[in-house]
Amino acid sequence: MSVVIVGGHDRMVSQYKQICKQFRWKPKVFTQNPTRFKEQIGCPDLVILFTSTVSHKMVIAAVQQAEKNGVPIARSHSSSAQALKDILSAHSA
């Protein structure tokens, strides 16, 4: 299963990826707004928004893409490792 994480801290990217792999999720992490962001999101199984550390422009783009493809969205104000673990465990089978 694939997950796109939007937001978070640059220094936590490797931890986010490691946590996702522990839960058997294939992660894509965007802490900054890259060129052609909407196209890079693709069609994952879950989109996670860390709302306290992401620009409104990225949130809007991610939400539009997720809704277009019928992808569930999980929002968290905290961008901590524990918040990610909680979200992934709630969405894991």
Coordinates of all heavy atoms in Angstrom, one line a residue:
M1 N 0.9 -1.2 0.0 CA 0.0 0.0 0.0 C 0.9 1.2 0.0 O 2.0 1.2 0.6 CB -0.9 0.0 1.2 CG -1.9 -1.2 1.2 SD -3.0 -1.3 2.6 CE -4.0 0.2 2.3
S2 N 0.4 2.3 -0.7 CA 1.2 3.5 -0.8 C 0.6 4.6 0.0 O -0.6 4.7 0.1 CB 1.4 3.8 -2.2 OG 0.2 4.1 -2.8
V3 N 1.5 5.5 0.5 CA 1.0 6.7 1.3 C 1.8 7.9 0.8 O 3.0 7.8 0.5 CB 1.1 6.4 2.8 CG1 2.6 6.2 3.2 CG2 0.6 7.6 3.6
V4 N 1.1 9.0 0.7 CA 1.8 10.3 0.5 C 1.7 11.1 1.7 O 0.6 11.4 2.2 CB 1.2 11.0 -0.7 CG1 1.7 12.4 -0.9 CG2 1.4 10.2 -2.0
I5 N 2.8 11.6 2.2 CA 2.9 12.5 3.4 C 3.2 13.9 2.9 O 4.2 14.1 2.3 CB 3.9 12.0 4.4 CG1 3.6 10.5 4.9 CG2 4.0 12.9 5.6 CD1 4.6 9.9 5.7
V6 N 2.3 14.8 3.2 CA 2.5 16.2 2.8 C 2.7 17.0 4.1 O 1.8 17.0 5.0 CB 1.2 16.7 2.1 CG1 1.4 18.1 1.6 CG2 1.0 15.8 0.8
G7 N 3.8 17.7 4.2 CA 4.2 18.5 5.3 C 5.1 17.7 6.2 O 5.7 16.7 5.8
G8 N 5.3 18.2 7.4 CA 6.3 17.6 8.3 C 7.6 18.4 8.3 O 7.7 19.4 7.6
H9 N 8.6 17.9 9.0 CA 9.9 18.6 9.1 C 10.9 17.9 8.2 O 10.9 16.6 8.2 CB 10.3 18.5 10.6 CG 9.4 19.3 11.5 ND1 9.4 20.6 11.6 CD2 8.5 18.8 12.4 CE1 8.5 21.0 12.5 NE2 7.9 19.9 13.0
D10 N 11.8 18.6 7.6 CA 12.8 18.1 6.8 C 13.7 17.1 7.5 O 14.0 16.0 7.0 CB 13.7 19.2 6.2 CG 13.0 20.1 5.2 OD1 12.0 19.6 4.6 OD2 13.4 21.3 5.1
R11 N 14.0 17.3 8.7 CA 14.9 16.4 9.5 C 14.2 15.1 9.9 O 14.9 14.2 10.3 CB 15.4 17.2 10.8 CG 14.3 17.4 11.8 CD 14.8 18.2 13.0 NE 13.8 18.4 14.0 CZ 13.0 19.5 14.0 NH1 13.2 20.4 13.1 NH2 12.1 19.6 14.9
M12 N 12.9 15.0 9.7 CA 12.1 13.8 10.1 C 11.8 12.9 8.9 O 11.3 11.8 9.1 CB 10.8 14.2 10.7 CG 10.9 14.9 12.1 SD 11.2 13.8 13.4 CE 9.7 13.0 13.5
V13 N 12.2 13.3 7.7 CA 11.9 12.5 6.5 C 12.3 11.1 6.6 O 11.5 10.2 6.3 CB 12.4 13.2 5.2 CG1 12.3 12.3 4.0 CG2 11.7 14.5 5.0
S14 N 13.5 10.8 7.0 CA 14.0 9.5 7.1 C 13.2 8.7 8.2 O 13.0 7.5 8.0 CB 15.5 9.4 7.4 OG 15.8 10.0 8.6
Q15 N 12.9 9.3 9.3 CA 12.1 8.6 10.3 C 10.7 8.3 9.8 O 10.1 7.3 10.0 CB 11.9 9.5 11.5 CG 13.2 9.5 12.4 CD 13.0 10.3 13.7 OE1 12.3 11.3 13.7 NE2 13.6 9.8 14.7
Y16 N 10.1 9.3 9.0 CA 8.7 9.0 8.4 C 8.8 7.8 7.5 O 7.9 6.9 7.6 CB 8.3 10.2 7.6 CG 8.0 11.5 8.4 CD1 8.1 12.7 7.8 CD2 7.6 11.5 9.7 CE1 7.9 13.9 8.5 CE2 7.3 12.7 10.4 CZ 7.5 13.9 9.8 OH 7.2 15.0 10.4
K17 N 9.8 7.7 6.7 CA 10.0 6.6 5.8 C 10.2 5.3 6.5 O 9.6 4.3 6.2 CB 11.1 6.9 4.8 CG 10.8 7.9 3.8 CD 11.9 8.2 2.8 CE 11.6 9.2 1.8 NZ 12.7 9.5 0.9
Q18 N 11.0 5.3 7.6 CA 11.2 4.1 8.3 C 9.9 3.6 9.0 O 9.7 2.4 9.0 CB 12.3 4.4 9.4 CG 12.7 3.2 10.2 CD 13.8 3.6 11.2 OE1 14.0 4.7 11.6 NE2 14.5 2.6 11.7
I19 N 9.2 4.6 9.6 CA 7.9 4.2 10.2 C 6.9 3.6 9.2 O 6.3 2.6 9.5 CB 7.3 5.4 10.9 CG1 8.2 5.8 12.1 CG2 5.9 5.1 11.4 CD1 7.8 7.2 12.7
C20 N 6.8 4.2 8.1 CA 6.0 3.7 7.0 C 6.3 2.2 6.6 O 5.5 1.4 6.5 CB 6.0 4.6 5.8 SG 5.1 6.1 6.1
K21 N 7.6 2.0 6.5 CA 8.1 0.6 6.1 C 7.8 -0.4 7.2 O 7.5 -1.5 7.0 CB 9.6 0.7 5.8 CG 9.8 1.4 4.5 CD 11.3 1.5 4.1 CE 11.5 2.3 2.9 NZ 12.9 2.5 2.5
Q22 N 7.8 0.1 8.5 CA 7.5 -0.8 9.6 C 6.0 -1.3 9.5 O 5.7 -2.4 9.9 CB 7.7 -0.2 10.9 CG 9.1 0.0 11.3 CD 9.3 0.9 12.6 OE1 8.3 1.4 13.2 NE2 10.5 1.0 13.0
F23 N 5.1 -0.4 9.0 CA 3.7 -0.7 8.8 C 3.4 -1.3 7.5 O 2.3 -1.4 7.1 CB 2.9 0.6 9.1 CG 2.7 0.9 10.5 CD1 3.7 1.7 11.2 CD2 1.6 0.5 11.2 CE1 3.5 2.0 12.5 CE2 1.5 0.8 12.6 CZ 2.4 1.5 13.2
R24 N 4.5 -1.5 6.7 CA 4.4 -2.1 5.3 C 3.6 -1.1 4.4 O 2.8 -1.6 3.5 CB 3.7 -3.5 5.3 CG 4.6 -4.5 6.0 CD 4.0 -5.9 5.9 NE 4.9 -6.9 6.3 CZ 4.9 -7.3 7.6 NH1 4.1 -6.8 8.5 NH2 5.8 -8.3 7.9
W25 N 3.9 0.1 4.5 CA 3.4 1.1 3.5 C 4.6 1.7 2.7 O 5.7 1.8 3.2 CB 2.8 2.3 4.3 CG 1.5 2.0 4.9 CD1 1.3 1.4 6.1 CD2 0.2 2.4 4.5 NE1 -0.1 1.3 6.4 CE2 -0.8 1.9 5.4 CE3 -0.3 3.1 3.3 CZ2 -2.1 2.1 5.2 CZ3 -1.6 3.3 3.2 CH2 -2.5 2.8 4.1
K26 N 4.4 2.0 1.5 CA 5.4 2.5 0.6 C 5.2 4.1 0.6 O 4.2 4.6 0.1 CB 5.3 2.0 -0.8 CG 6.4 2.5 -1.7 CD 6.2 1.9 -3.1 CE 7.2 2.5 -4.0 NZ 6.9 2.2 -5.4
P27 N 6.1 4.8 1.2 CA 5.9 6.3 1.4 C 6.5 7.1 0.3 O 7.5 6.8 -0.3 CB 6.7 6.5 2.7 CG 7.8 5.6 2.6 CD 7.3 4.3 2.0
K28 N 5.9 8.3 0.1 CA 6.4 9.4 -0.6 C 6.2 10.6 0.3 O 5.1 10.8 0.8 CB 5.5 9.7 -1.9 CG 6.1 9.2 -3.2 CD 5.3 9.8 -4.3 CE 5.3 8.9 -5.5 NZ 4.5 9.4 -6.6
V29 N 7.3 11.3 0.6 CA 7.2 12.4 1.6 C 7.5 13.8 0.9 O 8.5 13.9 0.2 CB 8.2 12.2 2.7 CG1 8.1 13.3 3.8 CG2 7.9 10.8 3.4
F30 N 6.6 14.7 1.1 CA 6.8 16.1 0.5 C 6.8 17.1 1.7 O 5.7 17.4 2.2 CB 5.7 16.4 -0.5 CG 5.7 15.5 -1.7 CD1 4.8 14.5 -1.8 CD2 6.6 15.7 -2.8 CE1 4.8 13.7 -2.9 CE2 6.5 14.9 -3.9 CZ 5.6 13.9 -3.9
T31 N 8.0 17.6 2.1 CA 8.0 18.6 3.1 C 8.1 20.0 2.5 O 7.7 21.0 3.1 CB 9.2 18.4 4.0 OG1 10.4 18.4 3.3 CG2 9.1 17.1 4.8
Q32 N 8.5 20.1 1.2 CA 8.6 21.3 0.5 C 7.7 21.2 -0.8 O 7.4 20.1 -1.2 CB 10.0 21.6 0.1 CG 11.0 21.7 1.2 CD 10.8 22.8 2.1 OE1 10.4 23.9 1.7 NE2 11.0 22.6 3.4
N33 N 7.3 22.3 -1.4 CA 6.5 22.3 -2.5 C 7.3 22.1 -3.8 O 8.0 23.1 -4.3 CB 5.7 23.6 -2.6 CG 4.5 23.5 -3.6 OD1 4.3 22.5 -4.2 ND2 3.8 24.6 -3.7
P34 N 7.4 20.9 -4.4 CA 8.2 20.7 -5.6 C 7.5 21.2 -6.9 O 6.3 21.5 -6.8 CB 8.4 19.2 -5.7 CG 7.2 18.7 -5.0 CD 6.8 19.7 -4.0
T35 N 8.2 21.3 -7.9 CA 7.6 21.7 -9.2 C 6.6 20.6 -9.6 O 6.9 19.4 -9.5 CB 8.7 21.8 -10.3 OG1 9.6 22.8 -9.8 CG2 8.1 22.3 -11.6
R36 N 5.5 20.9 -10.2 CA 4.4 20.0 -10.6 C 4.1 19.0 -9.5 O 4.0 17.8 -9.7 CB 5.0 19.2 -11.9 CG 5.2 20.2 -13.0 CD 6.0 19.7 -14.1 NE 5.5 18.4 -14.6 CZ 5.7 17.9 -15.8 NH1 6.4 18.7 -16.7 NH2 5.3 16.7 -16.2
F37 N 3.8 19.6 -8.4 CA 3.4 18.8 -7.2 C 2.2 17.8 -7.4 O 2.3 16.7 -7.0 CB 3.2 19.7 -6.0 CG 2.7 19.1 -4.7 CD1 3.4 18.1 -4.1 CD2 1.5 19.4 -4.2 CE1 3.0 17.5 -2.9 CE2 1.0 18.8 -3.0 CZ 1.8 17.9 -2.4
K38 N 1.2 18.4 -8.0 CA 0.0 17.6 -8.2 C 0.3 16.3 -9.0 O -0.3 15.2 -8.7 CB -1.1 18.4 -9.0 CG -2.0 19.2 -8.1 CD -3.1 19.8 -8.9 CE -4.1 20.5 -8.1 NZ -5.2 21.1 -8.9
E39 N 1.1 16.4 -10.0 CA 1.4 15.2 -10.8 C 2.3 14.2 -10.0 O 2.2 13.0 -10.3 CB 2.2 15.7 -12.1 CG 1.3 16.5 -13.0 CD 2.1 17.1 -14.1 OE1 3.3 16.7 -14.4 OE2 1.6 18.0 -14.8
Q40 N 3.1 14.7 -9.1 CA 3.9 13.8 -8.3 C 3.2 13.0 -7.3 O 3.7 12.0 -6.8 CB 5.1 14.6 -7.7 CG 6.1 15.1 -8.7 CD 7.3 15.7 -8.0 OE1 7.6 15.4 -6.9 NE2 7.9 16.7 -8.8
I41 N 2.0 13.5 -6.9 CA 1.2 12.8 -5.8 C 0.8 11.4 -6.4 O 0.9 10.4 -5.7 CB 0.0 13.6 -5.4 CG1 0.5 14.8 -4.6 CG2 -0.9 12.8 -4.5 CD1 -0.6 15.8 -4.3
G42 N 0.3 11.4 -7.6 CA -0.2 10.1 -8.2 C -1.5 9.7 -7.6 O -2.4 10.5 -7.2
C43 N -1.7 8.4 -7.4 CA -2.9 7.8 -6.8 C -2.6 6.8 -5.7 O -2.7 5.6 -5.9 CB -3.7 7.2 -8.0 SG -5.4 6.7 -7.4
P44 N -2.2 7.4 -4.5 CA -1.8 6.5 -3.4 C -3.1 5.9 -2.8 O -4.2 6.2 -3.1 CB -1.1 7.4 -2.5 CG -1.8 8.8 -2.7 CD -2.1 8.8 -4.2
D45 N -2.9 5.1 -1.8 CA -4.0 4.5 -1.0 C -4.4 5.4 0.2 O -5.5 5.3 0.7 CB -3.6 3.1 -0.4 CG -3.3 2.1 -1.5 OD1 -4.2 1.9 -2.3 OD2 -2.2 1.6 -1.6
L46 N -3.5 6.4 0.5 CA -3.8 7.3 1.6 C -2.9 8.5 1.5 O -1.8 8.5 1.1 CB -3.5 6.6 3.0 CG -3.6 7.4 4.3 CD1 -5.1 7.8 4.5 CD2 -3.0 6.7 5.5
V47 N -3.5 9.7 1.8 CA -2.8 10.9 1.8 C -2.8 11.4 3.3 O -3.9 11.5 3.9 CB -3.4 12.0 0.9 CG1 -2.7 13.4 1.1 CG2 -3.3 11.6 -0.5
I48 N -1.7 11.7 3.8 CA -1.6 12.3 5.2 C -1.1 13.7 5.1 O -0.1 14.0 4.5 CB -0.6 11.5 6.1 CG1 -1.0 10.0 6.2 CG2 -0.4 12.1 7.4 CD1 -0.1 9.1 6.9
L49 N -1.9 14.6 5.8 CA -1.5 16.0 5.8 C -1.1 16.4 7.2 O -1.9 16.3 8.1 CB -2.7 16.9 5.4 CG -3.3 16.7 4.0 CD1 -4.5 17.5 3.8 CD2 -2.2 17.1 2.9
F50 N 0.1 16.9 7.4 CA 0.5 17.4 8.6 C 0.3 18.9 8.5 O 1.1 19.7 8.0 CB 2.0 17.1 8.9 CG 2.3 15.7 9.2 CD1 3.4 15.0 8.7 CD2 1.5 15.0 10.1 CE1 3.7 13.7 9.0 CE2 1.7 13.6 10.4 CZ 2.8 13.0 9.8
T51 N -0.9 19.4 9.1 CA -1.4 20.7 8.8 C -0.6 21.8 9.4 O -0.6 23.0 8.9 CB -2.8 20.8 9.2 OG1 -3.0 20.5 10.6 CG2 -3.7 19.9 8.4
S52 N 0.2 21.6 10.5 CA 0.9 22.7 11.1 C 2.1 23.1 10.4 O 2.7 24.2 10.6 CB 1.2 22.3 12.6 OG 2.1 21.3 12.6
T53 N 2.6 22.2 9.5 CA 3.9 22.5 8.9 C 3.9 22.4 7.4 O 4.8 22.1 6.7 CB 5.0 21.4 9.3 OG1 4.4 20.1 9.1 CG2 5.3 21.5 10.8
V54 N 2.7 22.8 6.8 CA 2.6 22.8 5.4 C 1.8 24.0 4.9 O 1.0 24.6 5.6 CB 1.8 21.5 4.9 CG1 0.4 21.5 5.4 CG2 1.8 21.3 3.4
S55 N 2.2 24.5 3.7 CA 1.6 25.7 3.1 C 0.1 25.4 2.7 O -0.2 24.2 2.3 CB 2.4 26.2 2.0 OG 2.3 25.3 0.9
H56 N -0.7 26.4 2.7 CA -2.1 26.2 2.2 C -2.1 25.8 0.7 O -3.0 25.0 0.3 CB -2.8 27.5 2.4 CG -3.1 27.9 3.8 ND1 -3.9 27.2 4.6 CD2 -2.6 28.9 4.5 CE1 -3.9 27.7 5.8 NE2 -3.1 28.8 5.8
K57 N -1.2 26.3 0.0 CA -1.1 25.9 -1.5 C -0.9 24.4 -1.6 O -1.6 23.8 -2.4 CB 0.0 26.7 -2.1 CG 0.1 26.5 -3.6 CD 1.3 27.3 -4.2 CE 1.4 27.1 -5.7 NZ 2.5 27.9 -6.2
M58 N 0.0 23.8 -0.8 CA 0.2 22.4 -0.9 C -1.0 21.6 -0.4 O -1.4 20.6 -0.9 CB 1.4 22.0 -0.1 CG 2.7 22.3 -0.7 SD 4.2 21.8 0.2 CE 4.1 20.0 0.0
V59 N -1.7 22.1 0.7 CA -2.9 21.4 1.2 C -4.0 21.4 0.1 O -4.6 20.3 -0.1 CB -3.4 22.1 2.5 CG1 -4.8 21.6 2.8 CG2 -2.4 21.9 3.6
I60 N -4.2 22.5 -0.5 CA -5.2 22.6 -1.5 C -4.9 21.7 -2.7 O -5.8 20.9 -3.1 CB -5.4 24.1 -2.0 CG1 -6.0 24.9 -0.9 CG2 -6.2 24.1 -3.3 CD1 -5.9 26.4 -1.2
A61 N -3.7 21.6 -3.1 CA -3.3 20.8 -4.3 C -3.5 19.3 -3.9 O -4.0 18.5 -4.7 CB -1.9 21.1 -4.7
A62 N -3.0 18.9 -2.7 CA -3.1 17.5 -2.2 C -4.6 17.1 -2.1 O -5.0 16.0 -2.5 CB -2.4 17.3 -0.9
V63 N -5.4 18.0 -1.5 CA -6.8 17.6 -1.3 C -7.5 17.5 -2.6 O -8.3 16.6 -2.8 CB -7.5 18.7 -0.4 CG1 -9.0 18.5 -0.4 CG2 -6.9 18.6 1.0
Q64 N -7.3 18.4 -3.6 CA -7.9 18.3 -4.9 C -7.5 17.0 -5.6 O -8.4 16.3 -6.1 CB -7.5 19.5 -5.7 CG -8.1 20.8 -5.4 CD -7.6 22.0 -6.2 OE1 -6.6 21.9 -6.9 NE2 -8.3 23.1 -6.1
Q65 N -6.3 16.7 -5.5 CA -5.8 15.4 -6.2 C -6.4 14.2 -5.5 O -6.8 13.3 -6.2 CB -4.3 15.4 -6.2 CG -3.7 14.4 -7.1 CD -3.9 14.7 -8.6 OE1 -4.2 15.8 -9.0 NE2 -3.7 13.7 -9.4
A66 N -6.4 14.2 -4.2 CA -7.0 13.1 -3.5 C -8.5 12.9 -3.7 O -9.0 11.8 -4.0 CB -6.7 13.2 -2.0
E67 N -9.2 14.0 -3.7 CA -10.7 13.9 -4.0 C -10.9 13.5 -5.4 O -11.9 12.7 -5.6 CB -11.3 15.3 -3.7 CG -11.4 15.5 -2.2 CD -12.0 16.9 -1.8 OE1 -12.2 17.7 -2.8 OE2 -12.3 17.1 -0.7
K68 N -10.1 13.9 -6.3 CA -10.3 13.6 -7.7 C -10.2 12.1 -7.9 O -10.9 11.5 -8.7 CB -9.3 14.3 -8.6 CG -9.3 14.0 -10.0 CD -8.2 14.8 -10.7 CE -7.6 14.0 -11.9 NZ -6.4 14.8 -12.5
N69 N -9.2 11.4 -7.2 CA -9.0 10.0 -7.3 C -9.7 9.2 -6.2 O -9.4 7.9 -6.2 CB -7.5 9.8 -7.2 CG -6.7 10.4 -8.4 OD1 -7.2 10.3 -9.6 ND2 -5.6 11.0 -8.2
G70 N -10.4 9.8 -5.4 CA -11.2 9.0 -4.3 C -10.3 8.4 -3.3 O -10.5 7.4 -2.7
V71 N -9.2 9.2 -2.9 CA -8.2 8.7 -2.0 C -8.6 9.3 -0.6 O -8.9 10.5 -0.5 CB -6.8 9.2 -2.4 CG1 -5.8 8.8 -1.3 CG2 -6.4 8.6 -3.7
P72 N -8.6 8.5 0.5 CA -8.9 9.0 1.8 C -7.7 9.9 2.3 O -6.6 9.8 1.9 CB -8.9 7.7 2.7 CG -8.3 6.6 1.9 CD -8.4 7.0 0.5
I73 N -8.1 10.9 3.1 CA -7.2 11.9 3.6 C -7.2 11.9 5.1 O -8.3 11.9 5.7 CB -7.6 13.3 3.1 CG1 -7.7 13.4 1.6 CG2 -6.6 14.4 3.7 CD1 -8.3 14.7 1.1
A74 N -6.0 11.8 5.7 CA -5.9 11.9 7.1 C -5.2 13.2 7.5 O -4.1 13.5 6.9 CB -5.1 10.7 7.7
R75 N -5.7 13.9 8.4 CA -5.1 15.2 8.8 C -4.6 15.1 10.2 O -5.3 14.5 11.1 CB -6.1 16.3 8.7 CG -6.6 16.6 7.3 CD -7.7 17.6 7.2 NE -8.3 17.7 5.9 CZ -8.2 18.7 5.1 NH1 -7.5 19.8 5.5 NH2 -8.8 18.7 3.9
S76 N -3.5 15.7 10.5 CA -3.0 15.8 11.8 C -2.3 17.1 12.0 O -1.5 17.5 11.2 CB -2.0 14.6 12.1 OG -1.4 14.8 13.3
H77 N -2.6 17.8 13.1 CA -1.9 19.0 13.4 C -0.5 18.8 13.9 O 0.4 19.6 13.6 CB -2.7 19.8 14.5 CG -2.2 21.2 14.8 ND1 -2.3 22.2 13.8 CD2 -1.5 21.7 15.8 CE1 -1.8 23.3 14.3 NE2 -1.3 23.0 15.5
S78 N -0.3 17.7 14.5 CA 1.1 17.3 14.9 C 1.8 16.6 13.8 O 1.2 15.7 13.1 CB 1.0 16.4 16.2 OG 2.3 15.9 16.5
S79 N 3.1 16.8 13.6 CA 3.9 16.1 12.6 C 4.9 15.2 13.3 O 6.0 15.0 12.8 CB 4.5 17.1 11.7 OG 5.3 18.0 12.4
S80 N 4.5 14.7 14.5 CA 5.5 13.8 15.2 C 5.4 12.4 14.7 O 4.5 12.0 13.9 CB 5.1 13.8 16.7 OG 3.8 13.2 16.9
A81 N 6.4 11.6 15.1 CA 6.5 10.2 14.7 C 5.3 9.5 15.3 O 4.7 8.6 14.6 CB 7.8 9.6 15.2
Q82 N 4.9 9.8 16.5 CA 3.8 9.1 17.1 C 2.5 9.4 16.4 O 1.6 8.5 16.2 CB 3.6 9.4 18.6 CG 2.6 8.6 19.3 CD 2.9 7.1 19.3 OE1 4.0 6.7 19.6 NE2 1.9 6.3 19.0
A83 N 2.3 10.6 15.9 CA 1.1 10.9 15.2 C 1.0 10.1 13.9 O 0.0 9.6 13.5 CB 1.1 12.4 14.8
L84 N 2.2 10.0 13.2 CA 2.2 9.1 12.0 C 1.9 7.7 12.3 O 1.1 7.0 11.6 CB 3.6 9.2 11.3 CG 3.8 8.4 10.1 CD1 2.8 8.8 9.0 CD2 5.2 8.6 9.6
K85 N 2.5 7.1 13.4 CA 2.2 5.8 13.8 C 0.7 5.6 14.0 O 0.1 4.6 13.6 CB 3.0 5.4 15.0 CG 4.4 5.2 14.8 CD 5.2 4.9 16.1 CE 6.7 4.9 15.9 NZ 7.4 4.6 17.1
D86 N 0.1 6.5 14.7 CA -1.4 6.4 15.0 C -2.2 6.4 13.8 O -3.2 5.6 13.7 CB -1.8 7.6 15.9 CG -1.2 7.5 17.3 OD1 -0.7 6.4 17.7 OD2 -1.2 8.6 18.0
I87 N -1.9 7.3 12.8 CA -2.6 7.3 11.6 C -2.5 6.0 10.8 O -3.4 5.5 10.3 CB -2.2 8.5 10.7 CG1 -2.6 9.8 11.4 CG2 -2.8 8.5 9.3 CD1 -2.0 11.1 10.8
L88 N -1.2 5.6 10.7 CA -1.0 4.3 9.9 C -1.6 3.1 10.5 O -2.2 2.3 9.8 CB 0.5 4.1 9.7 CG 1.2 5.1 8.8 CD1 2.7 4.8 8.8 CD2 0.7 5.1 7.4
S89 N -1.6 3.0 11.8 CA -2.2 1.9 12.5 C -3.8 1.9 12.3 O -4.4 0.9 12.2 CB -1.9 1.8 14.0 OG -2.3 2.9 14.7
A90 N -4.3 3.1 12.3 CA -5.8 3.3 12.1 C -6.2 2.9 10.7 O -7.3 2.4 10.5 CB -6.2 4.7 12.4
H91 N -5.3 3.1 9.7 CA -5.6 2.8 8.3 C -5.1 1.5 7.8 O -5.3 1.2 6.6 CB -5.2 4.0 7.4 CG -6.0 5.2 7.6 ND1 -5.8 6.2 8.5 CD2 -7.1 5.6 6.9 CE1 -6.7 7.1 8.4 NE2 -7.5 6.8 7.5
S92 N -4.4 0.8 8.6 CA -3.8 -0.5 8.2 C -4.9 -1.6 8.4 O -5.7 -1.5 9.3 CB -2.6 -0.9 9.0 OG -1.5 0.0 8.7
A93 N -4.8 -2.6 7.6 CA -5.8 -3.7 7.6 C -5.5 -4.7 8.8 O -4.6 -4.8 9.4 CB -5.8 -4.5 6.3

